[in-house]
Structures are given as structure tokens and as C-alpha cells.
């Protein structure tokens, strides 16, 4: 039988159309900024490290080093032109400290120097200056002298000229930003005395001299970096004779407790021998090596210090978030596996006593269809082959590819075709709902094929009068290629494990459009299927939960659905799903403070969706960027081990989920690739959906591609005893109209309005659905006019 009808024309929507592209620009800017910050942070903190001053290996040729430098004083000026050197005055010792400032040892050394009224020179490392600018200010305020010791403590002779310049410039800016000064003094890391210079070292000194730096080497090494003991340090630091010395010691780079103790002994002892202590500049008679920084340099230095300090905080925060994400992911995996095991045991135990008496009543199957000619025949034939009595209602929503004509040409018994102008899937479902003659309805997409026992299996839970809806088990039929395998894994491991958890927690948020069963009177009480969100199945399921109905999962009710076969189609489908889910979550946020079944949905289901389907995907790109950062700058073995552990956890979950669903585990070999490609794609979908919601844009329906991969099951031809004989015509129905988000759908008899609670005492009174808040970010979105937009199924 074919019914031809036209829905009432809709007023053309004036909803603002915004192509959400600005958020991609913002996201790219954020990712690039974060990557640049991490790159700078990794270079400055992890590319080079403060290590022992012990230099191993051959010294190298020293043919380019001038003899007057090799045999001259430790202070070398104008190395790029006419180099000259200087020595400390006789009886003068210039204490120098490298590798600081250190928050533990530098203050203690400063205390020792203050008690003994001694000034010294501190060759600071730029990264330490950034971390502890207050110590640099204290060094300067105590009358000590500042020199630079590069930014990251590399061996300058092994760096390219541009890297050397960067090391010196960054350190100079850090000092200017921290203390408002500039210095001409430089001590290259791993340097020692003049006669240790080789040609590579001399190239460094020449480049530094051209930049205006005076290189300060040493004449005596306390060797405190070896931590040989206090007495040994004192002996190494004690001069032989009265010649002036530049004494090398350290206030950073490790435990300097022996250095502090040695200074307490050394300074009084040398003073008693008549030695005087001075800064390097004073010891060699240098005029003003340290000068106030200019305003521009000071501001640049402050900016550098601020940026790097912020980078430290960002890296710390990312580490915390990565740890939290890992803990949450592991916890989620454990909870999902536990819930799945518990769910399976309960269902096995229930099989003996079942849901109640077998449900044998006839079922209305509603198939909304828009341009489904590629797969509609297989879908309808599979329904006709059901081993449960059904009436099949195909609602053609203004198809332009002959979908309705194709179904009519099949002349299958029990199949009715209703034609209407294109108004969207919710309108098509409401049309079918109004035409249905049974109290139990099954909704199935036009790209889905049922097993012969699917209808019978999915309606058995309705033996429990508290059950208002049942979710079936949707499986991917087109599994060829990586994309098909990845979606197959997602359906089995992600969706179905989630549904087991939601079923156990009594907070099912979604009965999928591909395979779901409902009590017709429960839907009519809500006003039918709402079209104010793009995820009408999620919106409807949440409304049922808030109305007090139980929504359960029947994993044995199997349906085969056609998944997107291209990245573009997949993106559009998941974008619509995710955006619609966000709309439904916002619309039903009131469930968070309700009691009963609504409270379970709010405090269990909505919180779960928020944590694992919104917040965690939003953090995932940041975590991935930080993981790359860890591979490059931290411990790659540790990061790789963590990733492998996470992959093994996913593989374990996958094997268990595949076992529960009776699937072969072969596709799981592609799981590592899925983590690299598919997972990031899904995260970007969530990011785009959130940005679209925040921006207030209205996402339009889109056409879903069909590929004709569906096949009707063997034996799908109707037989003489098939129980899908044409049902008697129910009372006439009129066009479905919507006065609100869930306006009542006119129907026969007592279903024209919400049932009287006294008629159904076993069901809790539903919450007034009209009081539900409208989906954010818009309050009352107008419905589009026919053909104003293309609706997707």
C-alpha cells in the first residue's frame, strides 16, 4: 500500500549561516604557539645540560691560537682583532663561581661571602637566571660581579656560529631582564686555562670578541665539581706563591655543600696569609665590565624571562594533564571491562528467567528514507524476512533518486510507502509513528540490514513494563580497507562497551538510529521525535530517561549498517553526531539536579559524556604534542614505553570486546595505525563541534553517501507463511505538526495526548518535557522550509 501525503509547508529559516573556519585558524595558532613554546623550552632546558667540567678526548690542534694568548693572562680581550690578555694583580684572588644561580647553594655561598666581606664574580647560566631571577638581583645588590656562562651550558666549540650568538644573546637578555644590567664578561663552558685552548676554542673566543665580550678563563681550579671532600677542595684552591689567581669554583650544577664548607675555611686562611679578594674586573683593572641595561634591552629581557617562565608552567601543566589523561584512560578501561563482564553475567543469569513472558505482539518497523536507492531494497527485504510479525512503514522524505518507486516495485507484503516533502529525519519518523498501528515500534535507518531474529530479539526486554526503549547492536558491514576496519573497531570496542556500561548504570544516553526499539505511547507522551538537535536519537533517548523510562541494551539484536567509506563522509557524519550530542547534553542539563532515572542520566551519563567524549578529546592534541616533545627532549625510551603500555591496554580491551561480540580479532592488527590517524581525526571532530557550539553557529544537515554494500540475508524472500501480511489500516492520520520541541503527535485513540498516569501505574510519571531547556547556543531555532536544506539519515 502506498500513501501519498504532503506535509504543511514550513516557514523559511532565517537562522544565521556561519561557515566555521575561524576556529581552525585559532586552533592552528594555538597549536603552533604551543609547539613553538615547547620547542624553545626543550632547547633551553633539555638540549644541553650542565655536566662535569671534565673534558675527555684529544685536545685538538692549536695552530691558530696566538702564542701571546697561550702564554698570557686568563682575561682575553679583543680576540677578533689584536688580542691582549691580563693577569690579576699579585696577592689578589678573584673568586669565580660557575653554573648558577642555584636556589640552594648560591644563597649559602653569598652568606659566606657576606660574613667575610668578600666580593666575587658569578658566571651565570641563562636558564638558571630565568628560573631564579631574584638570586641574580641579590648577587648584584651584594656588590658582586656578573658574567655569562651561556644559556644552556653547551660546548660552544661544537656549535654553529648562529647557535653561539643565540646562546650569548639569550643569556645577556635574561640578565638584563632579571637584574637590569648587561655584562661584557664571558666564560665559555668546559674552558680551563690558556694553554688548554685549541683552534675550535679560539674560533669561539674570536666570535665572542667581535661581539664585544671579554673572555675570562681560570688559573687555578678547586675541582669542587668532583666533590673530592672539603679538605681536598681547600688544598686545590690554595695558591702556591704570591701570584694573583682567578680561582674556579661552582655554585650550581650539583651538590655544592663541600664548596660552601671549603669557603668557610679557605677565605679566612688566605686572608691570614695576606691575600685580598676582588672581582675579576677589579683584579685586572678593567673599567666597568658591568653596566646598566638600556630600557629596550631591559624590556626585551623581561619578556624573555616571562615567556620562559610561562613555558615552565605550561610544561608542568601539560605533564599534569598528560598524567591525569593517562590515569583517566586507564580507569575508564578498567571500569568498562568490569562493567562489560558484569553486564554479561547478569544477562546470562537473566536468560534463565528472561525479561518476562515472551513478547509476541506485532511490531511496527519505521524506515525513514531520503535518497536510499543504493541500499533500501536490501534493508526492506531483511525486514520482511524477520521471524517476528511486523508491519513495515517506509517514509520517503522527498527522495529524488526513486527510493519510493523502488520499494513499491518490490511489491513486498506488509510494506507500506508514505511519501512526503523533504522535511528531515525527525519529521519522517513522526510520520511513521503516526501511521504505526502497534504499541512497539522499531526504528531503522535505510542503510541498515537486520538479521532474521533482530526484531524478535530487540523487543523481548519490553516484557519488563519499566522498559521504554531498547538499543540494538549495530555492526559495520563494509569493513574493507583501513577506514572500514577502524570504524569496525570503534563500533565494537567503543560504542558497544559504552552501551554495556550505560545499561549497567541505567543511564543510556543514545539508542542509535540504526537499530532501536521504543514503546509508541512513551514517544507520543513526549510529543514524538524532536528536530531541535541534530542528534535526534540522543535527544529522544535522554528525554525518555528523564521521563522515568528504562533504556536497555540488547547486544544480541544485531543490525548491519553501512559506514562512511571516505574521510570526508566520515568527518561530516561524526561532526553531526558530536555537535548534536553537545546540543542534547545542553538541552538536558537539568537532569544533573533531578532525582530518579533523570538523575542517573544526569550525574552518570552526562558526566561520563562530558569527561570522555568532550574534555578528554579536547586535551588529546595537547597530550600528543607533549608526547612528541618528550620523544625529542626528554626520555624517548620512557615515552615510548608509556605509549606501548597504552597500546597494549587498548589491545586488551579490543580483544575482550571482540570476544563479547563474537567477532574475529583480525582487524585489531590495525590498532596502532588507528591511534596515529583515526584517533586524531575524531579528536578534531570534537574540537570543531565545540568551537561551532561556542560560536553560536547552526550546523546544517548534510547528505550521507551510500555505497550499495548492503546485501539482504539469505532467504530474505517472503514465504507463504511469513507473518508480515498487510496489516489492517489503522485510523486515518493527518499531517504531523510541531508546535514545540516535543509537541504531541496526533494518533489514534488514547495516544492523542500524554497517558494518564493512572492508566499505567507501573511507570513513573514523566517529567514535563515542555520544561526542558532549549539546546544551547540558540533558544528557539526555527524549522527550515522544505528543500531549504538537505537532510541526512
Amino acid at each position: 500500500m502506498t500513501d501519498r501525503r504532503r506535509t504543511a509547508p514550513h516557514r523559511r529559516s532565517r537562522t544565521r549561516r556561519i561557515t566555521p573556519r575561524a576556529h581552525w585558524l585559532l586552533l592552528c595558532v594555538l597549536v603552533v604557539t604551543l609547539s613553538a613554546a615547547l620547542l624553545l623550552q626543550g632547547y633551553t632546558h633539555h638540549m644541553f645540560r650542565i655536566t662535569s667540567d671534565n673534558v675527555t678526548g684529544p685536545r685538538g690542534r692549536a695552530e691558530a691560537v696566538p702564542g701571546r694568548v697561550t702564554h698570557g693572562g686568563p682575561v682575553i680581550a679583543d680576540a677578533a682583532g689584536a688580542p691582549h690578555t691580563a693577569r690579576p694583580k699579585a696577592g689578589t684572588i678573584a673568586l669565580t663561581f660557575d653554573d648558577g644561580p642555584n636556589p640552594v647553594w648560591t644563597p649559602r655561598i653569598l652568606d659566606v661571602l657576606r660574613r667575610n666581606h668578600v666580593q666575587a664574580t658569578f658566571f651565570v647560566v641563562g636558564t638558571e637566571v630565568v628560573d631564579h631571577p631574584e638570586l641574580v638581583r641579590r648577587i648584584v645588590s651584594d656588590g658582586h660581579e656578573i658574567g655569562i656562562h651561556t644559556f644552556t651550558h653547551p660546548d660552544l666549540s661544537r656549535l654553529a656560529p648562529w647557535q653561539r650568538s643565540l646562546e650569548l644573546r639569550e643569556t645577556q637578555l635574561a640578565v638584563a631582564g632579571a637584574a637590569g644590567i648587561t655584562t661584557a664578561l664571558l666564560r665559555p663552558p668546559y674552558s680551563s686555562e690558556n694553554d688548554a685552548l685549541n683552534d675550535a676554542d679560539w674560533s669561539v673566543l674570536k666570535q665572542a670578541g667581535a661581539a664585544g665580550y671579554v673572555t675570562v678563563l681560570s688559573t687555578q681550579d678547586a675541582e669542587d665539581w668532583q666533590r673530592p671532600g672539603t679538605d681536598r677542595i681547600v688544598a686545590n684552591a690554595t695558591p702556591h706563591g704570591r701570584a694573583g689567581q682567578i680561582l674556579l669554583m661552582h655554585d650550581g650544577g650539583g651538590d655544592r655543600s663541600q664548596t660552601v664548607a671549603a669557603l668557610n675555611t679557605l677565605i679566612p686562611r688566605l686572608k691570614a696569609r695576606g691575600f685580598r679578594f676582588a672581582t675579576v674586573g677589579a683584579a685586572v683593572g678593567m673599567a666597568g665590565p658591568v653596566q646598566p641595561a638600556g630600557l629596550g634591552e631591559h624590556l626585551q629581557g623581561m619578556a624573555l624571562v616571562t615567556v620562559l617562565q610561562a613555558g615552565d608552567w605550561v610544561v608542568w601543566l601539560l605533564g599534569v594533564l598528560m598524567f591525569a589523561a593517562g590515569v583517566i584512560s586507564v580507569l575508564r578501561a578498567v571500569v568498562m571491562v568490569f562493567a562489560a563482564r558484569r553486564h554479561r553475567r547478569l544477562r546470562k543469569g537473566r536468560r534463565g528467567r528472561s525479561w518476562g513472558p515472551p513478547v509476541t505482539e506485532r511490531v511496527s518497523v519505521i524506515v525513514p528514507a531520503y535518497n536510499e536507492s543504493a541500499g533500501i531494497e536490501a534493508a526492506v527485504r531483511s525486514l520482511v524476512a524477520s521471524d517476528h510479525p511486523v508491519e513495515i512503514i517506509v517514509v520517503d522524505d522527498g527522495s529524488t533518486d526513486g527510493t519510493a518507486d523502488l520499494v513499491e516495485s518490490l511489491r513486498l507484503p506488509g510494506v507500506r510507502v508514505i511519501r512526503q516533502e523533504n522535511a528531515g529525519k525527525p519529521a519522517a519518523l513522526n510520520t511513521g509513528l503516526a501511521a504505526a498501528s502497534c504499541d512497539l515500534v522499531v526504528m531503522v535507518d535505510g542503510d541498515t540490514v537486520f538479521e532474521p531474529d533482530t526484531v524478535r530479539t530487540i523487543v523481548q526486554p519490553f516484557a519488563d513494563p519499566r522498559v521504554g526503549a531498547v538499543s540494538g547492536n549495530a555492526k559495520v558491514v563494509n569493513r574493507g580497507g583501513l577506514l572500514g576496519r577502524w570504524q569496525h573497531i570503534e563500533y565494537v570496542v567503543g560504542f558497544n562497551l559504552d552501551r554495556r556500561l550505560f545499561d549497567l548504570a541505567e543511564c543510556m544516553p543514545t539508542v542509535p538510529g540504526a537499530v532501536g526499539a521504543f514503546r509508541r505511547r512513551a514517544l507520543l507522551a513526549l510529543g514524538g521525535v524532536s528536530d531541535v538537535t541534530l542528534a535526534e536519537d540522543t535527544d529522544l533517548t535522554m528525554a525518555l530517561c528523564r521521563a522515568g523510562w528504562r533504556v536497555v541494551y540488547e547486544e544480541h539484536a544485531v543490525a548491519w549498517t553501512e559506514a562512511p567509506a571516505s574521510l570526508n563522509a566520515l568527518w561530516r557524519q561524526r561532526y553531526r553526531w558530536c555537535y548534536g550530542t553537545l546540543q542534547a547534553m545542553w538541552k538536558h542539563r537539568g537532569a544533573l539536579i533531578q532525582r530518579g532515572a533523570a538523575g542517573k542520566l544526569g550525574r552518570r551519563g552526562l558526566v561520563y559524556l562530558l569527561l570522555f567524549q568532550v574534555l578528554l578529546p579536547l586535551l588529546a592534541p595537547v597530550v600528543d604534542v607533549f608526547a612528541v616533545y618528550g620523544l625529542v627532549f626528554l626520555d624517548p625510551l620512557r615515552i615510548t614505553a608509556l605509549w606501548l603500555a597504552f597500546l597494549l591496554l587498548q589491545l586488551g580491551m579490543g580483544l575482550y570486546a571482540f570476544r563479547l561480540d563474537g567477532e574475529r580479532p583480525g582487524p585489531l592488527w590495525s590498532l596502532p595505525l588507528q591511534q596515529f590517524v583515526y584517533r586524531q581525526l575524531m579528536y578534531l571532530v570534537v574540537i570543531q563541534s565545540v568551537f561551532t557550539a561556542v560560536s553560536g553557529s547552526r550546523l546544517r544537515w548534510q547528505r550521507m553517501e551510500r555505497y550499495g554494500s548492503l546485501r539482504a540475508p539469505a532467504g530474505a524472500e517472503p514465504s507463504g507463511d511469513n507473518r508480515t501480511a498487510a496489516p489492517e489500516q489503522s485510523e486515518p492520520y493527518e499531517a504531523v505538526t510541531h508546535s514545540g520541541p516535543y509537541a504531541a503527535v496526533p494518533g489514534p485513540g488514547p495516544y492523542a495526548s500524554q497517558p494518564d498516569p493512572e492508566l499505567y501505574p507501573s511507570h513513573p510519571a514523566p517529567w514535563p518535557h515542555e520544561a526542558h531547556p532549549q539546546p544551547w547556543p540558540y533558544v528557539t531555532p526555527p524549522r527550515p522550509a522544505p528543500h531549504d536544506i538537505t537532510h541526512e539519515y
Side-chain angles (χ1 to χ4, degrees):
M1 176 182 291
T2 301
D3 297 292
R4 299 178 182 272
R5 57 180 303 242
R6 294 292 183 267
T7 56
H10 301 292
R11 190 169 48 192
R12 181 171 294 276
S13 171
R14 295 184 180 178
T15 302
R16 181 167 54 108
R17 305 293 182 188
I18 297 179
T19 302
R21 295 175 180 172
H23 63 275
W24 285 121
L25 177 61
L26 177 59
L27 178 62
C28 290
V29 170
L30 289 175
V31 172
V32 170
T33 302
L34 177 62
S35 300
L38 290 177
L39 182 62
L40 179 61
Q41 199 72 12
Y43 176 83
T44 56
H45 285 71
H46 303 290
M47 184 62 74
F48 306 102
R49 299 187 181 184
I50 299 175
T51 58
S52 168
D53 281 357
N54 185 31
V55 179
T56 59
R59 175 171 172 259
R61 302 177 65 175
E63 297 175 355
V65 183
R68 59 181 176 273
V69 172
T70 303
H71 304 290
V75 180
I76 305 169
D78 198 16
H84 59 274
T85 66
R87 298 180 183 274
K89 301 172 185 177
T92 302
I93 295 179
L95 287 176
T96 63
F97 297 93
D98 289 4
D99 298 347
N102 181 276
V104 175
W105 308 115
T106 300
R108 297 187 186 183
I109 290 174
L110 290 173
D111 290 341
V112 174
L113 298 177
R114 177 180 292 179
R115 285 197 302 268
N116 290 276
H117 306 288
V118 168
Q119 276 71 51
T121 302
F122 289 81
F123 290 94
V124 295
V125 175
T127 54
E128 300 300 316
V129 173
V130 170
D131 291 340
H132 313 290
E134 72 287 349
L135 291 179
V136 181
R137 290 190 288 269
R138 180 182 170 184
I139 291 172
V140 174
S141 66
D142 283 359
H144 303 290
E145 197 170 57
I146 294 289
I148 65 173
H149 199 46
T150 72
F151 200 78
T152 61
H153 204 271
D155 184 348
L156 293 176
S157 65
R158 299 177 182 271
L159 300 185
W162 69 267
Q163 287 180 286
R164 299 173 187 171
S165 297
L166 180 64
E167 287 283 330
L168 303 184
R169 179 59 180 164
E170 280 191 315
T171 314
Q172 195 72 259
L173 284 176
V175 172
I181 62 171
T182 62
T183 178
L185 303 179
L186 164 67
R187 173 171 285 164
Y190 310 107
S191 62
S192 56
E193 299 177 1
N194 294 51
D195 58 3
L197 293 173
N198 59 29
D199 291 347
D201 299 328
W202 182 243
S203 69
V204 173
L205 269 60
K206 288 176 64 177
Q207 184 176 348
Y213 288 98
V214 175
T215 301
V216 180
L217 303 179
S218 61
T219 60
Q220 192 155 357
D221 188 355
E223 298 186 1
D224 56 341
W225 49 269
Q226 297 190 55
R227 291 193 290 275
T230 301
D231 294 339
R232 189 61 187 168
I233 292 175
V234 171
N236 291 337
T238 301
H240 301 285
R242 298 293 300 173
Q245 304 290 338
I246 293 183
L247 178 60
L248 172 61
M249 304 185 82
H250 297 81
D251 66 328
D255 183 352
R256 300 302 175 219
S257 57
Q258 294 180 7
T259 303
V260 175
L263 285 172
N264 281 311
T265 301
L266 179 66
I267 294 175
R269 179 179 297 179
L270 293 180
K271 279 189 173 183
R273 291 179 51 184
F275 284 94
R276 57 183 291 269
F277 292 88
T279 63
V280 169
V284 299
M286 187 184 303
V290 177
Q291 296 292 329
L295 178 60
E297 196 158 24
H298 180 53
L299 292 177
Q300 291 181 55
M302 291 179 63
L304 176 64
V305 171
T306 301
V307 168
L308 291 178
Q309 286 181 338
D312 288 337
W313 183 83
V314 168
V315 169
W316 174 84
L317 179 61
L318 289 180
V320 171
L321 292 177
M322 188 172 182
F323 176 78
V327 170
I328 292 174
S329 298
V330 172
L331 180 62
R332 180 195 183 198
V334 172
V335 170
M336 288 177 68
V337 171
F338 173 80
R341 287 175 57 86
R342 177 71 174 166
H343 184 268
R344 184 184 186 188
R345 290 177 181 176
L346 288 176
R347 286 300 169 85
K348 279 187 174 181
R350 181 175 286 164
R351 277 189 178 181
R353 57 181 187 276
S354 74
W355 293 92
V359 177
T360 58
E361 61 185 275
R362 192 174 58 183
V363 175
S364 297
V365 181
I366 303 172
V367 187
Y370 174 77
N371 288 350
E372 299 284 1
S373 60
I376 192 66
E377 179 178 355
V380 174
R381 287 189 181 279
S382 72
L383 296 173
V384 170
S386 296
D387 61 8
H388 191 91
V390 295
E391 65 166 353
I392 302 168
I393 303 171
V394 179
V395 182
D396 182 82
D397 189 43
S399 297
T400 59
D401 67 344
T403 297
D405 295 335
L406 175 59
V407 176
E408 290 174 354
S409 69
L410 298 176
R411 300 186 181 279
L412 297 173
V415 178
R416 222 185 327 170
V417 178
I418 301 176
R419 300 172 185 257
Q420 67 176 31
E421 292 184 358
N422 180 254
K425 185 177 180 181
L429 289 172
N430 285 329
T431 298
L433 189 63
S437 62
C438 306
D439 184 53
L440 300 182
V441 295
V442 172
M443 296 180 181
V444 53
D445 288 340
D447 62 343
T448 302
V449 167
F450 274 20
E451 298 282 355
D453 65 346
T454 299
V455 174
R456 172 173 52 82
T457 304
I458 201 171
V459 299
Q460 295 311 308
F462 289 114
D464 185 340
R466 298 172 300 170
V467 174
V470 183
S471 168
N473 185 349
K475 293 178 177 289
V476 175
V477 66
N478 50 328
R479 304 176 181 181
L482 279 177
L483 193 60
R485 289 191 185 94
W486 290 342
Q487 291 179 85
H488 171 44
I489 293 173
E490 183 184 29
Y491 271 66
V492 175
V493 181
F495 299 162
N496 289 341
L497 282 185
D498 275 345
R499 289 192 183 105
R500 287 180 169 90
L501 173 62
F502 290 139
D503 190 4
L504 194 66
E506 299 182 6
C507 60
M508 185 77 68
T510 305
V511 172
V515 52
F518 304 86
R519 289 190 191 273
R520 181 170 179 265
R521 57 187 171 90
L523 300 185
L524 294 174
L526 297 176
V529 182
S530 171
D531 66 348
V532 296
T533 73
L534 294 184
E536 78 289 333
D537 47 4
T538 300
D539 185 11
L540 182 62
T541 307
M542 290 183 178
L544 286 170
C545 289
R546 297 187 69 185
W549 294 97
R550 277 198 64 191
V551 181
V552 300
Y553 174 54
E554 178 51 72
E555 66 269 25
H556 299 292
V558 176
W560 299 90
T561 188
E562 198 172 49
S566 68
L567 286 176
N568 182 54
L570 177 64
W571 179 280
R572 288 188 286 113
Q573 181 198 64
R574 298 309 170 85
Y575 184 22
R576 179 175 63 84
W577 285 5
C578 185
Y579 183 76
T581 299
L582 290 175
Q583 289 179 300
M585 290 171 63
W586 181 258
K587 177 178 179 180
H588 296 285
R589 64 191 184 277
L592 290 166
I593 59 174
Q594 290 181 291
R595 296 181 179 179
K600 292 178 181 178
L601 170 70
R603 291 182 288 277
R604 298 177 186 177
L606 294 186
V607 171
Y608 183 92
L609 292 177
L610 179 64
L611 285 177
F612 298 113
Q613 295 191 19
V614 179
L615 295 182
L616 193 59
L618 287 177
L619 292 175
V622 177
V623 173
D624 290 340
V625 170
F626 187 72
V628 175
Y629 169 84
L631 287 173
V632 176
F633 295 112
L634 301 179
D635 185 354
L637 292 179
R638 182 180 179 185
I639 298 298
T640 303
L642 289 174
W643 183 82
L644 289 176
F646 176 77
L647 183 62
L648 288 175
L649 178 67
Q650 296 292 315
L651 180 60
M653 285 181 58
L655 289 171
Y656 184 67
F658 270 59
R659 178 183 175 188
L660 287 179
D661 263 28
E663 295 283 351
R664 294 180 179 180
L668 289 175
W669 70 263
S670 65
L671 192 60
L673 292 176
Q674 186 193 47
Q675 300 301 309
F676 280 113
V677 180
Y678 189 83
R679 186 169 61 97
Q680 278 71 19
L681 179 67
M682 295 299 102
Y683 292 159
L684 291 177
V685 166
V686 175
I687 291 171
Q688 182 173 5
S689 300
V690 171
F691 269 103
T692 304
V694 171
S695 68
S697 305
R698 182 78 185 271
L699 181 64
R700 68 183 180 88
W701 291 87
Q702 300 166 346
R703 172 74 182 115
M704 176 67 184
E705 297 179 29
R706 303 304 185 203
Y707 311 100
S709 56
L710 298 173
R711 295 291 183 271
E717 295 294 333
S719 59
D721 60 348
N722 189 289
R723 291 177 288 179
T724 59
E728 297 180 3
Q729 175 65 42
S730 61
E731 295 186 29
Y733 53 88
E734 301 297 334
V736 180
T737 60
H738 291 271
S739 59
Y742 274 110
V745 179
Y751 303 122
S753 61
Q754 182 171 326
D756 189 331
E758 295 182 1
L759 297 177
Y760 305 103
S762 59
H763 296 285
W767 296 94
H769 203 64
E770 291 75 19
H772 291 177
Q774 293 293 326
W776 172 74
Y778 34 81
V779 180
T780 55
R783 293 193 57 200
H787 308 296
D788 181 37
I789 54 177
T790 301
H791 300 279
E792 179 185 8
Y793 293 86

